PDB file of all heavy atoms in Angstrom:
ATOM      1  N   ALA A 290     -16.732 -21.207   8.592  1.00  0.00           N
ATOM      2  CA  ALA A 290     -17.270 -20.455   9.681  1.00  0.00           C
ATOM      3  C   ALA A 290     -17.987 -21.364  10.635  1.00  0.00           C
ATOM      4  O   ALA A 290     -18.652 -22.311  10.258  1.00  0.00           O
ATOM      5  CB  ALA A 290     -18.225 -19.409   9.136  1.00  0.00           C
ATOM      6  N   PRO A 291     -17.953 -21.087  11.956  1.00  0.00           N
ATOM      7  CA  PRO A 291     -18.747 -21.864  12.912  1.00  0.00           C
ATOM      8  C   PRO A 291     -20.206 -21.649  12.700  1.00  0.00           C
ATOM      9  O   PRO A 291     -20.639 -20.573  12.246  1.00  0.00           O
ATOM     10  CB  PRO A 291     -18.283 -21.326  14.282  1.00  0.00           C
ATOM     11  CG  PRO A 291     -17.706 -19.959  13.986  1.00  0.00           C
ATOM     12  CD  PRO A 291     -17.165 -20.061  12.596  1.00  0.00           C
ATOM     13  N   ARG A 294     -22.482 -18.177  15.486  1.00  0.00           N
ATOM     14  CA  ARG A 294     -21.597 -17.042  15.721  1.00  0.00           C
ATOM     15  C   ARG A 294     -22.158 -16.249  16.852  1.00  0.00           C
ATOM     16  O   ARG A 294     -23.300 -15.806  16.883  1.00  0.00           O
ATOM     17  CB  ARG A 294     -21.499 -16.210  14.449  1.00  0.00           C
ATOM     18  CG  ARG A 294     -20.748 -16.861  13.319  1.00  0.00           C
ATOM     19  CD  ARG A 294     -20.614 -15.887  12.195  1.00  0.00           C
ATOM     20  NE  ARG A 294     -19.883 -16.478  11.086  1.00  0.00           N
ATOM     21  CZ  ARG A 294     -18.574 -16.453  10.970  1.00  0.00           C
ATOM     22  NH1 ARG A 294     -17.871 -15.933  11.922  1.00  0.00           N
ATOM     23  NH2 ARG A 294     -17.981 -16.999   9.948  1.00  0.00           N
ATOM     24  N   ARG A 295     -21.260 -15.912  17.807  1.00  0.00           N
ATOM     25  CA  ARG A 295     -21.667 -14.966  18.865  1.00  0.00           C
ATOM     26  C   ARG A 295     -21.004 -13.626  18.707  1.00  0.00           C
ATOM     27  O   ARG A 295     -21.560 -12.641  19.067  1.00  0.00           O
ATOM     28  CB  ARG A 295     -21.266 -15.578  20.212  1.00  0.00           C
ATOM     29  CG  ARG A 295     -22.002 -16.895  20.590  1.00  0.00           C
ATOM     30  CD  ARG A 295     -21.815 -17.265  22.000  1.00  0.00           C
ATOM     31  NE  ARG A 295     -22.547 -18.499  22.343  1.00  0.00           N
ATOM     32  CZ  ARG A 295     -22.036 -19.711  22.329  1.00  0.00           C
ATOM     33  NH1 ARG A 295     -20.759 -19.883  22.017  1.00  0.00           N
ATOM     34  NH2 ARG A 295     -22.774 -20.754  22.638  1.00  0.00           N
ATOM     35  N   ALA A 296     -19.788 -13.595  18.143  1.00  0.00           N
ATOM     36  CA  ALA A 296     -19.100 -12.332  17.981  1.00  0.00           C
ATOM     37  C   ALA A 296     -19.608 -11.591  16.755  1.00  0.00           C
ATOM     38  O   ALA A 296     -20.050 -12.215  15.769  1.00  0.00           O
ATOM     39  CB  ALA A 296     -17.607 -12.595  17.839  1.00  0.00           C
ATOM     40  N   PRO A 297     -19.594 -10.286  16.754  1.00  0.00           N
ATOM     41  CA  PRO A 297     -19.949  -9.555  15.528  1.00  0.00           C
ATOM     42  C   PRO A 297     -18.965  -9.877  14.423  1.00  0.00           C
ATOM     43  O   PRO A 297     -17.766 -10.182  14.706  1.00  0.00           O
ATOM     44  CB  PRO A 297     -19.901  -8.073  15.952  1.00  0.00           C
ATOM     45  CG  PRO A 297     -19.021  -8.064  17.112  1.00  0.00           C
ATOM     46  CD  PRO A 297     -19.200  -9.370  17.832  1.00  0.00           C
ATOM     47  N   ARG A 298     -19.347  -9.789  13.203  1.00  0.00           N
ATOM     48  CA  ARG A 298     -18.514 -10.120  12.060  1.00  0.00           C
ATOM     49  C   ARG A 298     -18.430  -8.959  11.076  1.00  0.00           C
ATOM     50  O   ARG A 298     -19.444  -8.320  10.777  1.00  0.00           O
ATOM     51  CB  ARG A 298     -19.120 -11.350  11.341  1.00  0.00           C
ATOM     52  CG  ARG A 298     -18.276 -11.964  10.221  1.00  0.00           C
ATOM     53  CD  ARG A 298     -18.985 -13.113   9.668  1.00  0.00           C
ATOM     54  NE  ARG A 298     -18.177 -13.890   8.707  1.00  0.00           N
ATOM     55  CZ  ARG A 298     -18.667 -14.390   7.559  1.00  0.00           C
ATOM     56  NH1 ARG A 298     -19.957 -14.202   7.224  1.00  0.00           N
ATOM     57  NH2 ARG A 298     -17.889 -15.073   6.756  1.00  0.00           N
ATOM     58  N   ALA A 299     -17.256  -8.705  10.586  1.00  0.00           N
ATOM     59  CA  ALA A 299     -17.053  -7.601   9.628  1.00  0.00           C
ATOM     60  C   ALA A 299     -16.327  -8.049   8.432  1.00  0.00           C
ATOM     61  O   ALA A 299     -15.470  -8.983   8.498  1.00  0.00           O
ATOM     62  CB  ALA A 299     -16.263  -6.484  10.300  1.00  0.00           C
ATOM     63  N   LEU A 300     -16.593  -7.417   7.277  1.00  0.00           N
ATOM     64  CA  LEU A 300     -15.772  -7.579   6.079  1.00  0.00           C
ATOM     65  C   LEU A 300     -14.998  -6.291   5.875  1.00  0.00           C
ATOM     66  O   LEU A 300     -15.603  -5.211   5.837  1.00  0.00           O
ATOM     67  CB  LEU A 300     -16.677  -7.860   4.836  1.00  0.00           C
ATOM     68  CG  LEU A 300     -15.981  -7.813   3.486  1.00  0.00           C
ATOM     69  CD1 LEU A 300     -14.938  -8.899   3.349  1.00  0.00           C
ATOM     70  CD2 LEU A 300     -16.989  -7.909   2.341  1.00  0.00           C
ATOM     71  N   LEU A 316     -10.030  -4.740  15.064  1.00  0.00           N
ATOM     72  CA  LEU A 316     -11.264  -5.477  15.216  1.00  0.00           C
ATOM     73  C   LEU A 316     -11.050  -6.860  15.880  1.00  0.00           C
ATOM     74  O   LEU A 316     -11.784  -7.294  16.743  1.00  0.00           O
ATOM     75  CB  LEU A 316     -12.003  -5.642  13.871  1.00  0.00           C
ATOM     76  CG  LEU A 316     -12.668  -4.351  13.305  1.00  0.00           C
ATOM     77  CD1 LEU A 316     -13.142  -4.615  11.873  1.00  0.00           C
ATOM     78  CD2 LEU A 316     -13.844  -3.977  14.197  1.00  0.00           C
ATOM     79  N   GLY A 320     -12.388  -8.629  19.564  1.00  0.00           N
ATOM     80  CA  GLY A 320     -13.240  -9.807  19.599  1.00  0.00           C
ATOM     81  C   GLY A 320     -14.149 -10.058  18.422  1.00  0.00           C
ATOM     82  O   GLY A 320     -14.936 -10.968  18.453  1.00  0.00           O
ATOM     83  N   TRP A 321     -13.962  -9.230  17.369  1.00  0.00           N
ATOM     84  CA  TRP A 321     -14.774  -9.476  16.183  1.00  0.00           C
ATOM     85  C   TRP A 321     -14.220 -10.601  15.351  1.00  0.00           C
ATOM     86  O   TRP A 321     -13.020 -10.860  15.409  1.00  0.00           O
ATOM     87  CB  TRP A 321     -14.735  -8.163  15.304  1.00  0.00           C
ATOM     88  CG  TRP A 321     -15.523  -7.015  15.809  1.00  0.00           C
ATOM     89  CD1 TRP A 321     -15.410  -6.378  16.993  1.00  0.00           C
ATOM     90  CD2 TRP A 321     -16.586  -6.345  15.096  1.00  0.00           C
ATOM     91  NE1 TRP A 321     -16.268  -5.335  17.102  1.00  0.00           N
ATOM     92  CE2 TRP A 321     -17.028  -5.265  15.928  1.00  0.00           C
ATOM     93  CE3 TRP A 321     -17.195  -6.490  13.856  1.00  0.00           C
ATOM     94  CZ2 TRP A 321     -18.050  -4.427  15.578  1.00  0.00           C
ATOM     95  CZ3 TRP A 321     -18.178  -5.630  13.479  1.00  0.00           C
ATOM     96  CH2 TRP A 321     -18.615  -4.619  14.358  1.00  0.00           C
ATOM     97  N   GLU A 322     -15.080 -11.222  14.599  1.00  0.00           N
ATOM     98  CA  GLU A 322     -14.647 -12.091  13.537  1.00  0.00           C
ATOM     99  C   GLU A 322     -14.556 -11.267  12.251  1.00  0.00           C
ATOM    100  O   GLU A 322     -15.418 -10.455  12.014  1.00  0.00           O
ATOM    101  CB  GLU A 322     -15.649 -13.240  13.352  1.00  0.00           C
ATOM    102  CG  GLU A 322     -15.700 -14.153  14.506  1.00  0.00           C
ATOM    103  CD  GLU A 322     -16.691 -15.292  14.347  1.00  0.00           C
ATOM    104  OE1 GLU A 322     -17.309 -15.415  13.260  1.00  0.00           O
ATOM    105  OE2 GLU A 322     -16.842 -16.070  15.332  1.00  0.00           O
ATOM    106  N   VAL A 323     -13.472 -11.416  11.519  1.00  0.00           N
ATOM    107  CA  VAL A 323     -13.189 -10.545  10.414  1.00  0.00           C
ATOM    108  C   VAL A 323     -12.905 -11.341   9.147  1.00  0.00           C
ATOM    109  O   VAL A 323     -12.134 -12.329   9.211  1.00  0.00           O
ATOM    110  CB  VAL A 323     -11.991  -9.617  10.675  1.00  0.00           C
ATOM    111  CG1 VAL A 323     -11.813  -8.588   9.559  1.00  0.00           C
ATOM    112  CG2 VAL A 323     -12.187  -8.866  12.052  1.00  0.00           C
ATOM    113  N   VAL A 324     -13.543 -10.942   8.073  1.00  0.00           N
ATOM    114  CA  VAL A 324     -13.161 -11.416   6.737  1.00  0.00           C
ATOM    115  C   VAL A 324     -12.332 -10.311   6.088  1.00  0.00           C
ATOM    116  O   VAL A 324     -12.820  -9.170   5.946  1.00  0.00           O
ATOM    117  CB  VAL A 324     -14.368 -11.787   5.864  1.00  0.00           C
ATOM    118  CG1 VAL A 324     -13.907 -12.273   4.503  1.00  0.00           C
ATOM    119  CG2 VAL A 324     -15.254 -12.741   6.547  1.00  0.00           C
ATOM    120  N   GLU A 343     -10.422 -14.552   8.766  1.00  0.00           N
ATOM    121  CA  GLU A 343     -10.685 -15.254   7.529  1.00  0.00           C
ATOM    122  C   GLU A 343     -10.128 -14.354   6.366  1.00  0.00           C
ATOM    123  O   GLU A 343     -10.083 -13.143   6.544  1.00  0.00           O
ATOM    124  CB  GLU A 343     -12.189 -15.439   7.297  1.00  0.00           C
ATOM    125  CG  GLU A 343     -12.869 -16.239   8.328  1.00  0.00           C
ATOM    126  CD  GLU A 343     -14.391 -16.301   7.993  1.00  0.00           C
ATOM    127  OE1 GLU A 343     -14.718 -16.660   6.834  1.00  0.00           O
ATOM    128  OE2 GLU A 343     -15.193 -16.004   8.899  1.00  0.00           O
TER     129      GLU A 343
END
Side-chain angles (χ1 to χ4, degrees):
R294 290 186 180 273
R295 295 192 179 96
R298 187 181 187 221
L300 170 64
L316 285 172
W321 286 59
E322 294 181 3
V323 185
V324 181
E343 299 177 50

